[in-house]
Amino acid sequence: MKSLPLLLSLTLLAGCAGGPPINRNYVSVSQDSRVRYVIVHYTEGNFPRALDVLTNGGVSSHYLIADEPAAIYQLVDENRRAYHAGISAWKNDTQLNASSIGIELVNPGYRDTPEGRVFFAYQPEQIALLIDLLKQIVARHNIEPDRILGHNEIAPQRKSDPGPMFPWHRLAQAGLIRWPDADQVAQRQQLFEQQMPDIAWFQRKLVQHGYVLNCREQCDEATRQLVVAFQMKYRPGRFDGIADAETAALLDVLTSSAPANP
């Protein structure tokens, strides 16, 4: 027969193991998901290498979408933080690892050639899986259309993924992101061709769109990198970083108050 002190000790240990009783009958209405962004990346490598890096290295993502065959792998629970965004910012938010879901797509990224940098296309099956996954994530966390972003948008001075071959317009057609109306763009482009706005106008509009521009006196190169990231998404056929009339028109339409249709 166990002694009284031993029984008391066992009872206390059992209570500590289970924790104190918690009443969960009441739920606050003032709450939402901690997840506010989805960030899209390319792996710059094949599936075995990407899987090894993302599971055994110092970086991680919530999802990895393989290419051949196309398949989705969940590597981190959505309620936990993955380390995919690095030093990052969008509008008033910084350090987006804490508030985002990261999705890596297996893709070589780019190859530098004597003729210039060449980016690689994505597999159609990958994009189809990505769209289905994004729709589920948006439904779970109520993600706003302007918060599904590329890595190069939240870190434009150091990143280029998912690159100009990523089909953002497909996501717009699926209702996941906003897209500038072509007729509105054409009309405003004619106006801007007659009189181009100055660099300060582009900087204000880029910041209004969501990019973060940290510079004091010399902003030329930092601004150019923002223009490159913007063009990669909305004008991928030409992303030279030149703030021309078409870029101004795209930016002006997207920063207008009226929502644009895909």
Side-chain angles (χ1 to χ4, degrees):
M1 183 174 178
K2 295 184 175 66
S3 66
L4 182 58
L6 179 59
L7 287 173
L8 288 173
S9 298
L10 291 173
T11 301
L12 289 171
L13 285 173
C16 292
I22 299 174
N23 188 321
R24 294 186 171 87
N25 293 330
Y26 306 95
V27 179
S28 174
V29 297
S30 299
Q31 61 173 296
D32 58 14
S33 174
R34 292 181 183 271
V35 177
R36 304 176 66 230
Y37 294 91
V38 178
I39 310 301
V40 181
H41 310 253
Y42 56 45
T43 58
E44 290 190 56
N46 60 26
F47 174 71
R49 179 179 179 276
L51 186 62
D52 178 57
V53 168
L54 292 171
T55 55
N56 297 311
V59 296
S60 56
S61 67
H62 295 86
Y63 295 97
L64 172 64
I65 303 182
D67 53 349
E68 295 179 350
I72 301 175
Y73 296 81
Q74 184 168 10
L75 309 180
V76 178
D77 188 276
E78 289 184 8
N79 292 319
R80 296 183 65 81
R81 174 168 50 188
Y83 295 94
H84 61 96
I87 299 173
S88 51
W90 187 255
K91 295 188 176 179
N92 295 321
D93 294 325
T94 60
Q95 304 300 329
L96 299 185
N97 279 332
S99 59
S100 66
I101 288 176
I103 302 177
E104 294 268 1
L105 287 90
V106 173
N107 180 283
Y110 61 85
R111 181 179 70 250
D112 287 323
T113 72
E115 292 74 33
R117 179 164 291 183
V118 177
F119 288 84
F120 291 86
Y122 291 83
Q123 297 293 336
E125 296 81 6
Q126 277 183 300
I127 303 304
L129 287 178
L130 173 65
I131 288 173
D132 287 343
L133 176 61
L134 285 172
K135 287 180 177 178
Q136 295 175 37
I137 293 172
V138 166
R140 279 194 290 271
H141 301 284
N142 196 29
I143 305 294
E144 297 293 333
D146 64 342
R147 291 177 179 171
I148 298 176
L149 303 165
H151 199 184
N152 62 332
E153 295 182 273
I154 63 170
Q157 308 303 331
R158 62 186 183 86
K159 291 295 181 178
S160 61
D161 56 317
M165 298 300 288
F166 183 79
W168 286 106
H169 191 244
R170 287 273 310 277
L171 272 60
Q173 291 173 321
L176 290 164
I177 66 171
R178 289 184 59 203
W179 198 257
D181 179 80
D183 291 336
Q184 293 181 33
V185 171
Q187 293 170 7
R188 300 190 195 191
Q189 183 174 345
Q190 289 181 349
L191 297 174
F192 288 126
E193 284 172 349
Q194 297 174 20
Q195 183 174 358
M196 276 288 294
D198 60 17
I199 191 65
W201 181 94
F202 277 95
Q203 290 168 345
R204 288 194 301 272
K205 285 289 186 178
L206 288 164
V207 170
Q208 183 183 348
H209 181 61
Y211 297 104
V212 174
L213 183 62
N214 294 318
C215 58
R216 294 182 182 273
E217 296 179 1
Q218 181 56 266
C219 295
D220 290 351
E221 180 56 26
T223 303
R224 193 186 75 82
Q225 292 298 333
L226 267 60
V227 173
V228 168
F230 179 81
Q231 291 170 336
M232 275 191 178
K233 187 169 188 174
Y234 299 106
R235 194 187 70 179
R238 181 180 164 199
F239 51 95
D240 51 14
I242 296 175
D244 56 17
E246 185 182 13
T247 303
L250 290 163
L251 192 53
D252 200 35
V253 170
L254 281 165
T255 53
S256 64
S257 56
N261 296 319

